[in-house]
Amino acid sequence: MEPDVLGEDRIAPQREYVHITAALEGDGACIAEARHLAADFLARAEAVHGVTVPDRTVDLTQLVVSELVTNARKYAPGPVLLEVRIVDGAVEVEVWDSDPVLPVARAADPGRVGQHGLEIVMAVVQGFEARREPVGKRITARIALPDESVVDVVGRRAR
């Protein structure tokens, strides 16, 4: 996708910079694979596109990916689609699965064993959306990037 150019070679502030999409088979190894894909993607975004991605953002992204893919694998048969992108000053993690039932965060209960994944995700993200698709559902979580992460098309920090 070509960026919208504004004036002095600056890209439009509300544009997607980079993204990765992967179809995961839905087996036990797909959770670790998804975490590695997300971390590798963020490292490439930093090295190739000059986007500053703090270690904490990488860790939070891997945590969110892990929890969302785990839920998809646990509750939906078949493949899981993962997309990670950097857009509008945030890392967006999007997971699609074939189950149309939308997730609901349960009330905090320190005595409950398990089923805390969505609670954890909601605690660390800037934004969260769950929507039904013609088949299944799509979950999107946004993790904020620091302001200095935004760069223009020639690698200068945005003003």
Side-chain angles (χ1 to χ4, degrees):
M1 168 186 348
E2 285 293 313
D4 289 342
V5 178
L6 302 174
E8 302 172 17
D9 294 327
R10 293 187 53 196
I11 64 172
Q14 304 240 339
R15 299 300 295 183
E16 185 172 318
Y17 291 105
V18 289
H19 69 96
I20 187 171
T21 303
L24 307 167
E25 292 194 25
D27 60 8
C30 77
I31 299 163
E33 179 185 357
R35 280 193 307 265
H36 292 299
L37 285 168
D40 291 348
F41 163 74
L42 293 174
R44 278 195 318 279
E46 195 160 36
V48 175
H49 299 281
V51 178
T52 302
V53 184
D55 290 344
R56 177 168 168 71
T57 303
V58 174
D59 293 342
L60 290 175
T61 300
Q62 286 185 292
L63 174 64
V64 168
V65 164
S66 182
E67 294 297 339
L68 295 181
V69 171
T70 297
N71 285 349
R73 182 180 172 273
K74 183 176 181 180
Y75 297 110
V80 175
L81 300 179
L82 169 69
E83 183 170 6
V84 183
R85 58 186 169 259
I86 297 176
V87 62
D88 297 340
V91 176
E92 286 188 350
V93 175
E94 192 169 87
V95 174
W96 173 91
D97 67 53
S98 63
D99 183 11
V101 177
L102 298 179
V104 178
R106 298 177 66 179
D109 179 359
R112 182 176 68 238
V113 177
Q115 298 186 339
H116 293 279
L118 196 53
E119 286 176 60
I120 293 167
V121 169
M122 299 298 277
V124 301
V125 299
Q126 176 186 32
F128 181 86
E129 178 185 20
R131 67 182 185 277
R132 285 189 183 88
E133 297 281 314
V135 175
K137 68 179 167 297
R138 188 171 306 273
I139 308 297
T140 306
R142 291 178 54 88
I143 301 139
L145 283 169
D147 288 342
E148 63 271 10
S149 297
V150 180
V151 295
D152 65 21
V153 293
V154 292
R156 296 178 302 220
R157 297 285 170 218
R159 296 180 198 124

